[in-house]
């Protein structure tokens, strides 16, 4: 014997490595599925809070904002959810309150100064 493993031993080692890799991949997929389920649950909870705290007009206005500016829409949704969870929302948010909230959260990017000499 020269110290090198035989073909049978090599095959057995390959099978063990293959099983280990399959187990690791299975665990990774399980974690991804759990994270996806958790994300979906959080999204459903957010939608329920928004449905409960927004009037129809405010919901339509928020959807319109999300269509044109998704990042601003997400920021407004997060703000409304935070307000609702902290208990600072009295009644439902109507369209006028939504306009005020949008005005507060979106910077006035269309203003500019013209200097004449």
């Amino acid at each position: 014997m020269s110290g090198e493993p035989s073909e049978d031993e090599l095959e057995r080692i390959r099978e063990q490595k293959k099983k280990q890799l399959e187990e690791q991949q299975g665990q990774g997929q399980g974690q991804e599925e759990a994270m996806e389920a958790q994300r979906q649950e959080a999204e459903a909870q957010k939608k329920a809070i928004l449905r409960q705290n927004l009037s129809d007009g405010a919901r339509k206005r928020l959807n319109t904002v999300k269509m044109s500016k998704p990042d601003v829409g997400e920021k407004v949704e997060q703000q409304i959810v935070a307000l609702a969870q902290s208990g600072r929302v009295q009644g439902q948010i109507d369209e006028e309150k939504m306009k005020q909230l949008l005005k507060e959260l979106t910077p006035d990017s269309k203003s500019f100064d013209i200097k004449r000499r």
Side-chain angles (χ1 to χ4, degrees), residues 89-100:
V89 176
Q90 290 86 22
Q92 279 195 332
I93 296 174
D94 61 354
E95 196 167 356
E96 290 302 315
K97 288 181 184 176
M98 178 61 75
K99 286 180 186 178
Q100 289 176 343

Side-chain angles (χ1 to χ4, degrees), residues 66-92:
K66 281 180 64 176
M67 294 291 279
S68 63
K69 298 178 183 176
D71 54 332
V72 173
E74 281 296 319
K75 190 165 58 169
V76 171
E77 280 184 348
Q78 290 173 356
Q79 185 71 27
I80 292 170
V81 169
L83 289 171
Q85 287 177 340
S86 67
R88 295 190 301 178
V89 176
Q90 290 86 22
Q92 279 195 332

Side-chain angles (χ1 to χ4, degrees), residues 33-83:
E33 290 173 4
M35 289 177 65
E36 179 66 23
Q38 187 178 14
R39 187 189 62 77
Q40 287 178 353
E41 184 178 332
E43 186 70 24
Q45 186 178 17
K46 180 175 78 169
K47 284 182 181 181
I49 289 172
L50 290 173
R51 197 175 313 116
Q52 181 181 6
N53 291 297
L54 295 178
S55 68
D56 289 338
R59 200 172 311 123
K60 286 178 186 177
R61 185 167 294 276
L62 179 60
N63 287 335
T64 304
V65 169
K66 281 180 64 176
M67 294 291 279
S68 63
K69 298 178 183 176
D71 54 332
V72 173
E74 281 296 319
K75 190 165 58 169
V76 171
E77 280 184 348
Q78 290 173 356
Q79 185 71 27
I80 292 170
V81 169
L83 289 171

